[in-house]
Amino acid sequence: MEAAGTQVNLFSLDREAMCAFFERMGERPYRATQVMKWVYHRGVIDLEAMTDLAKRLRAQLAGTTRFGLPEAVLEQASVDGTRKWLLRVDGQNSIECVFIPEPDRGTLCVSSQVGCALDCSFCSTGKQGFNRNLSTAEIIGQLWLVNRALAGFQAERGRVISNVVLMGMGEPLLNFDNVVPALRLMTDDLGFGLSHKRVTLSTAGVVPGIDRLAATVRVSLAVSLHAPTDELRDVLVPINRKYPLAELLAACRRYAEATRGDPITFEYVMLDGVNDGPAEARELARRLSGLPAKVNLIPFNPFPGSGYTRSVQGTIDRFREILMQAGLITITRRTRGEDIDAACCQLTGRVMPRAARLRRATLQPGMAP
Ligand code: SAH
């Protein structure tokens, strides 16, 4: 048998890539349909159980392919029903994903990178630095593993996971090539079959990525805005210095046109005395006018050494009122899973910072980092 490294990880292939893979083997493309149904509809990844594939083909696949998944190392449950998984993705790094049950939906929040390079001033993931991109298999693997853990493959009626948000660790548009096949597997009928309205990619504002996304795959877009002026946003979301608000909002307009007016969600973290005043609310309403927009106010989730505090409820209510009066649908996100550090951007996993990793590799020559 070949070493795992040279075997094709079937979780890394979307439908088109899976068809191409079978064609290269001299097989008919409908083999992809058969395998995808086993994997994503029935939750089966044991080749021997895939009884509609010929024995000879199964043996061939056993030699050349694998189903590589992250490894669940810890699961925590909050008193409010939120569940969080720590998933090991390699010898040094772990990521987190969170399932949030609500009466009318079940949302899975998945990670796209190990750590994050953007360093937003109020985000704990950013404080850990960036290590590497997740592979397609590691992204779709989060959904597969949690769906199995929640008995989602056996569910007779409805879906346990009805919504997916790329709002865990990382900036998905800076891992475009691996994220897109994962999005396709989420929305493909032969994959998880979720409606494009129920799969949301959240970005801190990588403008070229927004345009590329619009041209590539249909999903919902969320933008982490957090400030209505460049002066303030330059501090909170440093990528704003590269792609300032006017450029970002123009890209949002293009996205909305390309996706025929589906509303874009604008996330706005409520930081006490920083971005939560009535003047900011009015300026935000002005900047978003004319866009099919929803605003999601996120009460800041504190972490040690952040230097920020959460806006008081009255301030959040007043901010919301101003936006609503300006005609913007505005909701305040309920904080969930706080007792297990699963709330927005308390996702930290275990990230070996690049510098330390490289140092270790030089200290121990011959050892793979
Ligand atoms: N990089 C992408 C995906 C991460 S989404 C993005 O920025 O959109 C995570 C969301 O939680 C973002 O809107 C982020 O700004 C927000 N967030 C980060 N830290 C937070 C904190 N401490 N409290 C509340 N929300 C936070």
Side-chain angles (χ1 to χ4, degrees):
M1 200 196 258
E2 288 176 78
T6 59
Q7 292 178 316
V8 174
N9 186 351
L10 292 176
F11 275 113
S12 67
L13 307 180
D14 61 15
R15 184 200 294 228
E16 203 184 308
M18 181 94 77
C19 287
F21 170 79
F22 279 108
E23 278 180 328
R24 275 197 305 277
M25 280 177 78
E27 292 286 334
R28 306 295 298 270
Y30 76 85
R31 296 294 180 204
T33 308
Q34 290 175 305
V35 171
M36 285 182 76
K37 280 185 176 167
W38 283 110
V39 176
Y40 297 108
H41 293 182
R42 306 182 189 116
V44 171
I45 54 172
D46 172 10
L47 284 167
E48 280 313 300
M50 301 185 184
T51 44
D52 53 359
L53 302 180
K55 259 207 154 97
R56 171 200 53 79
L57 178 58
R58 276 184 269 158
Q60 202 179 346
L61 289 173
T64 55
T65 68
R66 66 196 171 100
F67 289 101
L69 286 166
E71 185 197 348
V73 285
L74 182 69
E75 188 195 329
Q76 289 170 281
S78 160
V79 287
D80 68 15
T82 300
R83 291 164 76 171
K84 180 170 89 165
W85 285 263
L86 181 69
L87 304 173
R88 185 183 292 146
V89 289
D90 57 47
Q92 321 229 339
N93 297 291
S94 306
I95 51 156
E96 292 182 328
C97 67
V98 178
F99 177 69
I100 307 144
E102 287 172 280
D104 60 336
R105 68 177 77 179
T107 302
L108 186 69
C109 178
V110 308
S111 296
S112 58
Q113 296 182 312
V114 182
C116 187
L118 294 185
D119 203 20
C120 299
S121 64
F122 53 87
C123 177
S124 60
T125 303
K127 301 288 160 247
Q128 297 185 297
F130 171 74
N131 186 288
R132 68 169 174 87
N133 282 330
L134 290 179
S135 66
T136 296
E138 288 163 341
I139 299 168
I140 202 68
Q142 297 170 58
L143 183 45
W144 195 90
L145 281 171
V146 172
N147 199 43
R148 184 177 66 177
L150 299 173
F153 291 116
Q154 279 87 48
E156 300 255 308
R157 282 191 300 130
R159 294 169 194 278
V160 181
I161 299 171
S162 62
N163 296 57
V164 175
V165 293
L166 273 77
M167 294 186 186
M169 299 163 67
E171 168 50 52
L173 292 183
L174 292 181
N175 183 16
F176 194 92
D177 293 341
N178 294 341
V179 162
V180 162
L183 295 174
R184 291 210 169 102
L185 286 166
M186 291 173 199
T187 52
D188 190 332
D189 285 343
L190 288 179
F192 286 99
L194 297 171
S195 148
H196 65 86
K197 289 184 195 293
R198 291 171 176 271
V199 174
T200 303
L201 181 146
S202 180
T203 178
V206 181
V207 164
I210 294 175
D211 286 318
R212 237 182 121 192
L213 188 70
T216 309
V217 66
R218 182 102 192 254
V219 288
S220 298
L221 183 67
V223 175
S224 294
L225 209 61
H226 307 317
T229 62
D230 283 321
E231 199 189 356
L232 185 53
R233 198 165 190 269
D234 279 352
V235 177
L236 300 181
V237 186
I239 199 180
N240 193 69
R241 293 175 210 155
K242 194 162 182 191
Y243 305 113
L245 271 172
E247 282 181 38
L248 174 57
L249 293 173
C252 290
R253 232 160 242 128
R254 292 193 293 276
Y255 193 90
E257 272 160 30
T259 56
R260 296 198 200 84
D262 282 350
I264 295 174
T265 302
F266 290 93
E267 295 153 279
Y268 197 99
V269 64
M270 297 300 285
L271 302 166
D272 185 37
V274 175
N275 64 351
D276 62 351
E280 278 92 21
R282 283 192 293 271
E283 181 60 8
L284 180 62
R286 193 185 69 78
R287 297 211 76 140
L288 295 183
S289 73
L291 263 168
K294 288 187 293 197
V295 179
N296 213 326
L297 301 179
I298 314 173
F300 171 65
N301 292 310
F303 57 91
S306 74
Y308 294 108
T309 48
R310 178 184 294 181
S311 309
V312 296
Q313 192 57 46
T315 308
I316 299 178
D317 293 343
R318 221 168 311 130
F319 198 93
R320 177 167 176 268
E321 199 48 47
I322 293 171
L323 296 178
M324 297 279 280
Q325 274 168 10
L328 281 163
I329 298 169
T330 307
I331 61 159
T332 307
R333 192 180 287 173
R334 254 190 327 137
T335 299
R336 300 283 305 262
E338 253 180 315
D339 53 335
I340 55 164
D341 281 351
C344 274
C345 239
Q346 290 178 321
L347 299 191
T348 46
R350 204 178 79 110
V351 179
M352 177 69 73
R354 266 256 171 103
R357 197 177 61 139
L358 293 176
R359 219 170 23 248
R360 176 176 291 208
T362 14
L363 284 176
Q364 301 175 318
M367 272 191 62

